[in-house]
Amino acid sequence: MVSGTVADGGSAEGGRGTAPGVTGPSSSAESVGLRAWRIRLAVSMVAMSAVAGQLPSFSAAATLWVLLSGALLLGYGAFIARRTEYGALQAPSASAISRRARRWPGRRALWWLVPGALFGAAEVGGLIGGSTHAYPTLSTLADPPLEHYPVRAVAFCGWLLVFWALIRAKR
Amino acid sequence: MSRVIILAGFGLALITAVALELIARRDGARVPTLGQLCAAAVQVRVGRFPLGQVILMGLWWWVGWHFFAR
């Protein structure tokens, strides 16, 4: 989503009539604000992921960290981002995204049922077999690599990015 | 054998998802990308209740808890 937000910010600037290569004092300040906002978000996500990678499964700390991370992102998206320069830049673009998103893709979206059904069949098959080595579920397959710190931290960062993308998509 | 079948199921799901995403990103594609589908789903409301938002974010929150905490 970070890459998506970069594109959104660029289109928002374009929407304000800023010609490419022509930057006045105002747009320059907005650009600096946008960059600072993006750096703050990226650093926060990396820091949260670095901590999450150290927390073992089945621990209260890990549960609390997941709950806290989601709550922080929701709070950041709902209250803080709208008051920053980035939020202001995002406004026109975000509303355009919302207008596009409101057009439900209809029957064309049914194609996505194919991978969904395949995944569901494999997952149900594993669950019926008891989620063992012979009948693995996605959890059974993901748990061994997630025991390693780098994989766990990177996966947590990916989870945060998708969470942020969902938060941005609602606007 | 059962393990191979299940792994093949997960693999096929991943391959079809990637293929659909690539098709959806071509010019003039009629299939929505996964991002467009999620963005449309998040906008679903029942009255004033943001049903799509609650379901998708709740689901993703649960996924995080399931893989990183439990």
Side-chain angles (χ1 to χ4, degrees), chain A residues 58 108 133 139 152 159 169, chain B residues 3 30 43 60 66 68-69:
Chain A
F58 301 103
R108 292 169 292 154
H133 180 79
S139 302
R152 197 173 181 82
W159 177 74
Chain B
R3 181 177 173 85
R30 302 189 66 184
Q43 304 291 335
W60 197 246
H66 182 69
F68 301 111

Side-chain angles (χ1 to χ4, degrees), chain A residues 22-119:
Chain A
V22 180
T23 52
S26 172
S27 63
S28 175
E30 286 172 348
S31 170
V32 170
L34 171 63
R35 194 178 304 121
W37 191 95
R38 279 164 44 196
I39 290 171
R40 278 199 295 272
L41 181 65
V43 168
S44 304
M45 284 188 176
V46 169
M48 283 193 282
S49 305
V51 173
Q54 294 178 330
L55 303 175
S57 291
F58 301 103
S59 66
T63 301
L64 275 176
W65 196 249
V66 168
L67 291 174
L68 187 68
S69 301
L72 277 174
L73 280 187
L74 278 177
Y76 202 61
F79 300 110
I80 300 175
R82 290 176 188 175
R83 300 178 185 181
T84 62
E85 300 90 337
Y86 182 80
L89 275 172
Q90 282 291 293
S93 175
S95 62
I97 289 170
S98 296
R99 278 196 299 277
R100 286 200 299 275
R102 280 191 202 105
R103 291 201 299 267
W104 181 254
R107 295 178 67 179
R108 292 169 292 154
L110 293 179
W111 280 104
W112 282 100
L113 285 178
V114 176
L118 284 168
F119 174 82

